[in-house]
Amino acid sequence: MIIELILFSVITGFAFITFCVSVYNLLTAPVPGKNLGSPENNESLPFLSILIPARNEEENIATCVRNCLNQNHPNIEVIVLDDNSEDRTGEIVEGIAAEDDRVKLLRGEPLPKGWLGKNWACHQLSEEAKGEYLLFIDADVILREDAIAIALNTLKKSNLSMFSVFPTQLLNSFGSSLVIPLMNWLLLNFLPLKQVYKSKSPKFVAANGQFILMTRNAYAATGGHSAVRDKVVEDMELSRLIKRSGMRMMTALGGEVIRCRMYSGFLSSIRGFTKNFYAGFDIPAVLFVIMITFFVLVYLVPFVFVFFNTIWVAPVLLTLFSRWFTSRISNSNSVVEVLFHPIQMIIMYFTGWRSLYFTKTGIIEWKGRTL
């Protein structure tokens, strides 16, 4: 009885803390078009380079580039690097470039030793860019027409060197709905997102390579993608460099302004989660295993124990409300997240071990290339 009471106290206490974090994020998390406000009407429009690394993106690239061209901040260039695609990515971009001289296509150089593919692609893009500001986005990102103006206004008003966004994920299958929300939950259940901006500590960092806006000076000062050339989770490493350099950054959620269709199904979602999960925490393997095991203890075990003792209703309800809040913040399916939470915890644990194994053995594959 005493052991159960101690276990209950530990689990409920931790669940309550993360419940409070989810409430804090619900009330304060930066969201373009919501609490970050609207872009100002400004005659002085700085020149901005939109940089898109693309490998086998024929399904997404046309929509992405045309959304960039349709921004109400017109003083831009759009540079797409065709990273040795095996489909029509380059051909599609060439066609758009023939219609609009703001678009330029680069052909990726061979991957040098010691570099990962996306980092090398972004580095090449940065060397070609002429803008005062550099915006790195993925080819599957969908921008509302005011997205860049809002992002630029936020960066300038808040005196930021880096502004990153976790786009709202468009989930088009039940399988992806089981996996992708876990990434948002890991972010919003444990990290007070506003503290990424308010705190100077490198411990409070979060970034998403799907949307990273930086000043050219900050990019050069930190070394940019060259400084993180061999990092799988390069976005997080860039944000740590910003904080360690004494510069300011902010991380936001996409809301209705910045969206993304990242993975199409269950297996592709698992592969994507595997690539980023272990590397994103930047902790030793032993601590990572302890962490994901503790997550199972706190967020899954009470759903079993509640059938034997009603005292466990407390941590169950705290967890379910947290899931509801994080789903509301990230615009995902609240019903699926609440109803299938226990299954998602099993998926999380399995993927954690998978991510650790593949990372340590060096056999993570992405876009047809071993990382």
Side-chain angles (χ1 to χ4, degrees):
M1 185 65 182
I2 295 177
I3 294 177
E4 182 180 9
L5 187 59
I6 293 173
L7 187 62
F8 170 81
S9 300
V10 171
I11 290 175
T12 304
F14 193 81
F16 178 73
I17 292 171
T18 54
F19 166 82
C20 292
V21 172
S22 68
V23 172
Y24 179 80
N25 281 325
L26 180 66
L27 298 174
T28 67
V31 183
K34 186 181 175 183
N35 51 16
L36 290 185
S38 300
E40 291 181 338
N41 293 322
N42 193 342
E43 296 300 324
S44 175
L45 298 174
F47 189 53
L48 179 140
S49 299
I50 304 176
L51 309 175
I52 309 172
R55 178 174 169 84
N56 299 332
E57 293 285 358
E58 65 178 7
E59 293 184 5
N60 299 313
I61 195 64
T63 299
C64 180
V65 172
R66 294 194 188 281
N67 280 341
C68 292
L69 296 174
N70 290 333
Q71 291 295 300
N72 55 23
H73 180 97
N75 196 19
I76 60 170
E77 63 176 353
V78 181
I79 309 177
V80 180
L81 184 134
D82 180 14
D83 188 10
N84 300 292
S85 296
E86 299 165 342
D87 60 10
R88 296 178 57 250
T89 297
E91 179 184 338
I92 292 169
V93 176
E94 280 184 330
I96 300 174
E99 303 169 0
D100 195 317
D101 60 8
R102 292 178 295 170
V103 179
K104 181 175 183 179
L105 174 68
L106 295 182
R107 299 291 183 179
E109 297 291 332
L111 185 65
K113 185 177 181 181
W115 284 80
L116 296 183
K118 183 179 180 182
N119 301 343
W120 173 236
C122 289
H123 175 70
Q124 293 174 81
L125 285 163
S126 71
E127 291 196 316
E128 191 69 23
K130 298 180 177 64
E132 180 184 350
Y133 298 90
L134 307 179
L135 173 60
F136 297 92
I137 64 170
D138 284 357
D140 48 10
V141 168
I142 302 168
L143 302 177
R144 203 171 74 181
E145 62 184 11
D146 57 349
I148 289 176
I150 291 175
L152 264 177
N153 188 49
T154 299
L155 186 138
K156 290 190 290 183
K157 268 192 165 183
S158 301
N159 193 28
L160 306 175
S161 295
M162 176 176 174
F163 177 64
S164 184
V165 174
F166 282 81
T168 296
Q169 299 299 324
L170 302 176
L171 308 176
N172 54 5
S173 73
F174 179 69
S176 61
S177 297
L178 283 178
V179 181
I180 293 176
L182 283 169
M183 305 178 198
N184 292 326
W185 175 75
L186 285 167
L187 174 72
L188 299 171
N189 200 54
F190 299 100
L191 177 67
L193 201 58
K194 195 171 183 179
Q195 293 302 313
V196 174
Y197 168 66
K198 296 182 70 175
S199 172
K200 295 180 180 180
S201 171
K203 294 180 181 179
F204 288 99
V205 294
N208 190 325
Q210 293 172 336
F211 189 104
I212 291 179
L213 174 64
M214 298 182 72
T215 65
R216 175 178 285 278
N217 290 341
Y219 187 81
T222 58
H225 285 88
S226 179
V228 297
R229 65 187 67 187
D230 59 346
K231 303 299 183 182
V232 175
V233 190
E234 84 291 340
D235 42 18
M236 292 289 288
E237 296 299 332
L238 283 172
S239 66
R240 291 186 181 105
L241 288 175
I242 287 288
K243 282 287 187 82
R244 288 169 184 154
S245 300
M247 292 181 275
R248 304 192 74 179
M249 66 168 294
M250 180 186 294
T251 302
L253 303 175
E256 298 297 328
V257 176
I258 302 168
R259 299 176 297 159
C260 179
R261 186 173 285 107
M262 187 163 47
Y263 307 122
S264 58
F266 181 76
L267 292 179
S268 63
S269 300
I270 289 290
R271 286 193 291 268
F273 196 11
T274 297
K275 177 173 72 76
N276 296 318
F277 193 8
Y278 169 61
F281 278 93
D282 192 34
I283 57 177
V286 172
L287 290 181
F288 180 76
V289 170
I290 292 172
M291 181 189 74
I292 61 174
T293 302
F294 184 68
F295 288 172
V296 168
L297 177 66
V298 174
Y299 300 111
L300 179 59
V301 168
F303 286 80
V304 178
F305 285 0
V306 75
F307 289 100
F308 303 96
N309 191 334
T310 55
I311 193 176
W312 291 97
V313 168
V316 166
L317 288 177
L318 287 170
T319 297
L320 292 180
F321 274 113
S322 294
R323 289 307 302 264
W324 179 269
F325 294 150
T326 57
S327 68
R328 301 309 298 167
I329 307 166
S330 54
N331 289 354
S332 58
N333 191 317
S334 304
V335 175
V336 171
E337 291 200 40
V338 170
L339 290 181
F340 292 91
H341 169 80
I343 294 175
Q344 289 181 314
M345 290 301 97
I346 295 171
I347 293 171
M348 181 273 298
Y349 193 64
F350 164 77
T351 308
W353 276 102
R354 190 173 188 268
S355 180
L356 176 62
Y357 172 76
F358 283 155
T359 302
K360 288 298 185 181
T361 55
I363 56 175
I364 290 183
E365 188 176 285
W366 191 247
K367 297 281 186 180
R369 186 161 52 193
T370 301
L371 297 180

